[in-house]
Amino acid sequence: GQQVMQIPQYQHVQEGEDFTTYCNSSTTLSNIQWYKQRPGGHPVFLIQLVKSGEVKKQKRLTFQFGEAKKNSSLHITATQTTDVGTYFCAGVSDSGTYKYIFGTGTRLKVLA
Amino acid sequence: DTAVSQTPKYLVTQMGNDKSIKCEQNLGHDTMYWYKQDSKKFLKIMFSYNNKELIINETVPNRFSPKSPDKAHLNLHINSLELGDSAVYFCASSQDLVSVTTKNIQYFGAGTRLSVL
């Protein structure tokens, strides 16, 4: 079945450093979403990417969808303590399976 | 007003017991989901309903039985609880069924932390 892996599993950074998490799917995706889950909280939608090679920015966050639509990345510039949490990608297979498969998540800790 | 609300927030129970978790959404969405998040934070879909109709039933033990009395509610009943059922269970909703063409933001409830002793 479809699998979505993320690396790294954990990342500790000093405040002000950059951070990137990578998402890789075993199958081609029709679109991909990113969610953030704060410690003790619930996943909250960040963005959706649909087109091959698409790049979207939200302030310090940059999201990219790979040309082959099998991978994606989230880059945070100059991390802040408020960026702490687990970042999940979630992809829909282009075979139309009516569900998002969530990636394994990357847990980010930001040290002040 | 909370968009997706789950009750209870915490559930501590003994092995072998039966328990239910309730979920309600006031967003007017057609589709609702149950996810299980284990101790490693992996988030796995269990069920999804669209307009009260079961759409997705992942490989979940039949001790788990979802019920959707109307499209705003999706409850989860668990029989004969086992230690391995301990996890956080999230309810979520989206406007429509996930498809390759639509943008379907999933709105999650705050979660129910289930501990089976």
Side-chain angles (χ1 to χ4, degrees):
Chain A
Q2 182 188 1
Q3 290 187 334
V4 181
M5 305 296 292
Q6 282 181 251
I7 53 170
Q9 191 175 355
Y10 301 95
Q11 183 85 59
H12 293 186
V13 298
Q14 285 293 135
E15 192 173 19
E17 289 182 342
D18 292 355
F19 158 76
T20 305
T21 171
Y22 299 91
C23 175
N24 295 290
S25 170
S26 59
T27 59
T28 305
L29 302 171
S30 69
N31 66 76
I32 194 159
Q33 294 182 340
W34 284 91
Y35 288 79
K36 176 183 177 182
Q37 183 178 17
R38 294 183 187 274
H42 57 277
V44 175
F45 174 83
L46 293 176
I47 208 157
Q48 176 167 306
L49 304 169
V50 179
K51 298 177 185 171
S52 167
E54 188 171 13
V55 177
K56 286 189 175 179
K57 292 194 176 188
Q58 284 180 353
K59 296 183 181 177
R60 296 178 295 104
L61 276 60
T62 302
F63 304 83
Q64 188 163 7
F65 201 5
E67 294 289 343
K69 300 183 79 173
K70 291 184 77 173
N71 56 67
S72 181
S73 64
L74 158 59
H75 179 83
I76 303 178
T77 305
T79 53
Q80 299 175 357
T81 53
T82 52
D83 295 325
V84 162
T86 301
Y87 292 85
F88 292 98
C89 60
V92 176
S93 167
D94 64 1
S95 62
T97 55
Y98 298 125
K99 63 185 177 186
Y100 278 96
I101 300 296
F102 276 77
T104 45
T106 296
R107 210 177 300 192
L108 173 65
K109 283 195 175 178
V110 180
L111 307 170
Chain B
D1 282 343
T2 305
V4 181
S5 57
Q6 296 179 228
T7 53
K9 194 168 171 62
Y10 299 96
L11 194 47
V12 181
T13 189
Q14 299 286 334
M15 262 194 332
N17 284 350
D18 303 339
K19 289 293 177 187
S20 292
I21 307 172
K22 295 188 174 182
C23 179
E24 176 182 1
Q25 54 96 2
N26 62 8
L27 297 166
H29 288 168
D30 287 343
T31 307
M32 295 185 72
Y33 313 82
W34 277 110
Y35 285 89
K36 179 181 180 181
Q37 186 171 47
D38 62 22
S39 56
K40 293 185 179 177
K41 297 286 192 185
F42 295 149
L43 202 54
K44 295 243 187 297
I45 189 165
M46 300 172 69
F47 303 101
S48 87
Y49 273 72
N50 182 255
N51 277 318
K52 302 193 299 176
E53 183 186 343
L54 180 65
I55 301 296
I56 293 171
N57 184 350
E58 291 294 282
T59 313
V60 176
N62 57 16
R63 296 181 296 104
F64 290 78
S65 52
K67 279 195 173 49
S68 183
D70 54 63
K71 72 175 193 176
H73 295 84
L74 180 61
N75 304 322
L76 183 65
H77 187 76
I78 316 171
N79 288 328
S80 303
L81 278 155
E82 300 178 358
L83 293 176
D85 297 331
S86 296
V88 180
Y89 291 84
F90 285 104
C91 176
S93 73
S94 64
Q95 182 64 62
D96 287 308
L97 271 178
V98 171
S99 75
V100 297
T101 56
T102 59
K103 179 173 181 175
N104 258 313
I105 299 171
Q106 293 178 78
Y107 294 84
F108 284 79
T112 296
R113 186 173 295 276
L114 172 64
S115 297
V116 183
L117 308 177

